[in-house]
Amino acid sequence: WLSRMSAIVCVEVNRTRVILHIHLDPDTVKLGDIVIDAREKGRWGTGDLECSIRIMEELDSVKPLLDWRDVPVDLASLAALAAGLGWASGLRLYALVFVLGALARFAGVHLPGGLGVLAHPLVLGVSGLLLLVEFFADKLPWLDSAWDAVHTFIRIPAGAALAAAVMGDQGGALQVAMGLVGGTLAAGTHLAKAGARAAINTSPEPVSNVATSLGEDVLFAGGMWALVHQPLLFLAGLAVFFILALLLIVALWKFIKRVFRRPPRPLAGT
């Protein structure tokens, strides 16, 4: 998953050397005095490959083992990631962009395709600022619906763009296909969210708005955790979410039609 796109390393430090326990198959690496097979050796580290470094020059020799940017990622994983980004864009776009950018810039996560641009300081700054604005705007009655109305023109194309960017290294056809998927998922999520918030705004008290917004924050955080750590669980949850979202959209549409339906004209003479 995302962790597959960056090296997973456990670092052990003592007085004379630094030991790197790298999560790589020792059978695929040239072994030597610095790099050894640690599968049969008791260790604290998590990886099967052990690199013992005493001087800086030895670090240069193991740097290629820490660069996993060229490790192929299967298309199913990329497609699931694209779908997840589309869904999250319709719910919390700015939080999504900021989290992905922060992971790439500060946690060493290598984002696939064209997503690396999210780590740019300008993108991080703008998305972080808008994240704070959205956090408060989304909890104020009627302002949340106005915010959602404006973002109809932002979240959906952004979801399509992020999903397409996942396939940036896989060719134009897959980019277009994933862009359509991401845009559709973003649209469904956004319409369900915006419709539900508009219905909640018919209640005069503000508590329901705050509680719903906090629930969406938790849903976004849980969805991102599942996307990274349990992708199959995430996809199952995504299917359930969209079934419920479709039912909600249909119910809201029927409610709107009843609200705006003209009352029948009285008969003449009555």
Side-chain angles (χ1 to χ4, degrees):
W1 203 245
L2 284 183
S3 59
R4 295 176 57 188
M5 302 170 197
S6 60
I8 304 174
V9 180
C10 178
V11 180
E12 179 183 346
V13 181
N14 58 41
R15 291 184 177 181
T16 60
R17 59 180 179 167
V18 174
I19 302 175
L20 304 178
H21 302 278
I22 305 177
H23 190 68
L24 284 176
D25 184 355
D27 295 332
T28 64
V29 176
K30 183 178 179 181
L31 304 177
D33 295 333
I34 298 175
V35 182
I36 64 172
D37 183 348
R39 285 177 292 192
E40 304 298 329
K41 179 181 177 181
R43 63 196 188 280
W44 291 105
T46 183
D48 293 330
L49 195 69
E50 180 181 302
C51 301
S52 180
I53 301 171
R54 293 178 176 83
I55 58 176
M56 290 302 297
E57 287 75 10
E58 292 177 340
L59 176 61
D60 293 334
S61 66
V62 301
K63 278 184 178 179
L65 300 177
L66 305 177
D67 185 357
W68 284 18
R69 286 176 292 181
D70 295 327
V71 174
V73 179
D74 60 279
L75 290 179
S77 294
L78 290 178
L81 177 60
L85 298 190
W87 167 80
S89 296
L91 191 65
R92 289 288 186 268
L93 172 62
Y94 302 124
L96 172 66
V97 172
F98 182 80
V99 167
L100 290 177
L103 286 174
R105 187 165 188 85
F106 304 114
V109 173
H110 176 70
L111 300 176
L115 293 177
V117 69
L118 302 182
H120 192 281
L122 179 60
V123 178
L124 278 172
V126 172
S127 62
L129 175 62
L130 292 174
L131 164 61
L132 291 176
V133 173
E134 183 172 60
F135 180 81
F136 294 103
D138 196 62
K139 293 169 177 59
L140 299 177
W142 297 112
L143 179 58
D144 59 347
S145 289
W147 184 268
D148 285 337
V150 171
H151 281 77
T152 301
F153 306 99
I154 300 175
R155 291 173 182 155
I156 298 172
L162 290 173
V166 173
M167 296 294 182
D169 298 328
Q170 308 302 320
L174 283 174
Q175 284 183 273
V176 172
M178 285 301 102
L180 293 173
V181 170
T184 300
L185 293 175
T189 305
H190 168 73
L191 291 175
K193 165 184 161 56
R197 299 302 288 275
I200 291 172
N201 279 332
T202 59
S203 174
E205 44 79 29
V207 177
S208 56
N209 294 78
V210 176
T212 303
S213 180
L214 290 174
E216 292 172 358
D217 294 334
V218 172
L219 178 62
F220 168 78
M224 292 302 294
W225 179 90
L227 178 62
V228 173
H229 297 285
Q230 298 290 338
L232 293 180
L233 177 63
F234 171 81
L235 291 176
L238 183 62
V240 173
F241 175 88
F242 265 88
I243 292 173
L244 296 176
L246 288 174
L247 294 175
L248 176 62
I249 291 172
V250 171
L252 289 172
W253 177 247
K254 291 180 179 179
F255 172 76
I256 292 172
K257 288 202 300 184
R258 284 198 301 269
V259 170
F260 290 98
R261 183 180 296 166
R262 293 182 179 179
R265 294 182 178 180
L267 297 176
T270 62

